[in-house]
């Protein structure tokens, strides 16, 4: 849990979309920006910075790539003005029909959500 996260920038977002960053690291990025912090001394998650709607439903950070429900909640948490950031900021045209598999579409959702955190 203590390994270094990649910087949150457009290169990292493209690497998420292009499946160049492993799923575990992608999940850890989302957890970080949701406020989850792992306390190795106590061997548990510190939820003090996690919003109540996440803390109550996910007392341990969820696997966004393997599971649909947390990704749906992540999608719903994207502000309306940020729903199209992949297209607006990166010019991402979306995946081709044969690429529309849950794992990739969840990565795109995560990438779009993370874009809102880039200044």
């Amino acid at each position: 849990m203590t390994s270094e996260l990649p910087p949150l920038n457009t290169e990292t977002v493209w690497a998420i979309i292009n499946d160049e960053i492993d799923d575990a690291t992608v999940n850890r990025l989302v957890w970080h920006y949701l406020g989850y912090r792992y306390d190795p001394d106590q061997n548990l998650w510190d939820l003090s910075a996690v919003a109540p709607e996440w803390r109550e439903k996910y007392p341990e950070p969820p696997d966004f790539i393997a599971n649909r429900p947390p990704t749906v909640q992540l999608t719903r948490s994207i502000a309306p003005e940020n729903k199209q950031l992949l297209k607006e900021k990166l010019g991402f045209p979306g995946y081709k029909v044969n690429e529309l598999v849950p794992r990739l579409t969840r990565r795109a959702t995560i990438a779009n959500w993370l874009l809102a955190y880039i200044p």
Side-chain angles (χ1 to χ4, degrees):
M1 297 297 162
T2 59
S3 57
E4 200 68 26
L5 289 175
L8 185 55
N9 55 34
T10 55
E11 291 79 18
T12 296
V13 173
W14 273 116
I16 291 169
I17 292 168
N18 293 326
D19 202 6
E20 298 166 353
I21 296 177
D22 65 274
D23 292 353
T25 301
V26 173
N27 272 314
R28 287 189 359 259
L29 266 170
V30 179
W31 300 342
H32 178 81
Y33 286 95
L34 282 172
Y36 289 95
R37 299 295 184 271
Y38 187 72
D39 181 344
D41 295 332
Q42 296 190 34
N43 196 30
L44 54 82
W45 288 95
D46 175 0
L47 306 179
S48 59
V50 178
E53 62 270 16
W54 287 98
R55 190 171 49 233
E56 292 164 13
K57 198 165 188 177
Y58 300 103
E60 291 203 0
D63 184 336
F64 288 95
I65 296 172
N67 301 301
R68 183 176 181 268
T71 307
V72 170
Q73 184 165 335
L74 195 67
T75 300
R76 291 179 180 152
S77 74
I78 298 171
E81 64 272 14
N82 293 337
K83 295 277 187 193
Q84 298 296 318
L85 287 180
L86 284 179
K87 289 180 185 174
E88 294 169 2
K89 280 191 170 183
L90 300 184
F92 178 62
Y95 292 111
K96 295 180 178 99
V97 173
N98 64 337
E99 297 172 320
L100 289 174
V101 295
R103 188 171 164 281
L104 289 181
T105 56
R106 290 174 188 153
R107 288 174 77 89
T109 296
I110 289 166
N112 192 81
W113 185 84
L114 286 169
L115 272 173
Y117 288 88
I118 298 176

